[in-house]
C-alpha cells in the first residue's frame, strides 16, 4: 500500500515534422511498505510503455533526486536502468509490478497520469 509520499516529473516533447513525434516521459516515485517504487513511462499516440523498479534501500529524498536528474537530462526507458547502476543505486526490476500489487492497477483509467501517483 502506498502512503502520501510521491513525486512526479513530466517531460513533454513537441511534434517536429521529420524529426520527432510528440510524446511524453513521465517519471514517478512513491514510498511503499517494501521501499521506494520508481516508474518511468513513455507515452505516445495513446500507447504507453513503462518500466518500474523498487529501491530496497535508500531514502525517499534520494529517489526523488534521481527522478529529477532523469527528467532534467531526458533519460529514456532505454537508459534509465544504466543510470541507476552508474550512480550505485541498487534496485529490483518490477516486471509484473501492476499484477504483483506493487503498483496500483488503474487499468481503464486515464493513462495521462502515472500509476504510482495518479492525480
Amino acid at each position: 500500500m502506498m502512503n502520501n509520499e510521491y513525486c512526479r516529473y513530466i517531460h513533454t516533447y513537441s511534434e517536429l515534422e521529420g524529426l520527432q513525434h510528440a510524446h511524453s516521459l513521465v517519471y514517478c516515485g512513491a514510498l511503499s511498505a517494501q521501499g521506494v517504487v520508481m516508474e518511468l513511462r513513455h507515452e505516445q499516440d495513446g500507447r504507453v510503455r513503462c518500466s518500474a523498479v523498487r529501491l530496497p534501500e535508500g531514502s525517499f529524498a534520494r529517489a526523488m533526486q534521481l527522478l529529477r536528474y532523469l527528467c532534467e537530462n531526458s533519460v529514456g526507458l532505454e537508459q534509465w536502468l544504466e543510470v541507476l547502476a552508474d550512480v550505485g543505486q541498487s534496485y529490483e526490476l518490477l516486471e509484473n509490478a501492476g499484477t504483483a500489487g506493487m503498483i496500483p492497477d488503474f487499468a481503464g483509467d486515464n493513462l495521462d497520469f502515472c500509476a504510482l501517483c495518479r492525480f
Side-chain angles (χ1 to χ4, degrees):
M1 171 172 270
M2 302 290 175
N3 71 17
N4 290 330
E5 290 192 82
Y6 55 84
C7 183
R8 179 177 62 169
Y9 296 102
I10 301 173
H11 198 133
T12 303
Y13 298 84
S14 302
E15 180 77 28
L16 299 172
E17 189 174 335
L19 298 174
Q20 75 181 8
H21 296 287
H23 66 281
S24 295
L25 292 174
V26 183
Y27 306 84
C28 303
L31 188 59
S32 76
Q34 296 83 18
V36 178
V37 178
M38 294 170 52
E39 180 180 84
L40 174 53
R41 297 169 58 89
H42 180 271
E43 301 174 352
Q44 179 180 339
D45 297 327
R47 294 184 311 265
V48 176
R49 293 184 301 138
C50 66
S51 175
V53 299
R54 181 179 63 86
L55 309 180
E57 57 216 32
S59 70
F60 181 76
R62 169 71 172 153
M64 297 311 96
Q65 284 182 328
L66 289 170
L67 285 172
R68 184 173 179 177
Y69 175 84
L70 294 168
C71 181
E72 289 181 358
N73 290 280
S74 302
V75 176
L77 281 172
E78 297 78 13
Q79 298 89 21
W80 87 296
L81 296 178
E82 292 175 19
V83 171
L84 293 179
D86 287 347
V87 298
Q89 178 61 59
S90 62
Y91 64 86
E92 174 189 351
L93 187 61
L94 301 175
E95 294 184 36
N96 299 313
T99 58
M102 293 294 293
I103 298 174
D105 182 10
F106 297 120
D109 286 356
N110 186 345
L111 293 179
D112 291 339
F113 299 101
C114 172
L116 292 174
C117 43
R118 184 178 151 242
F119 298 99

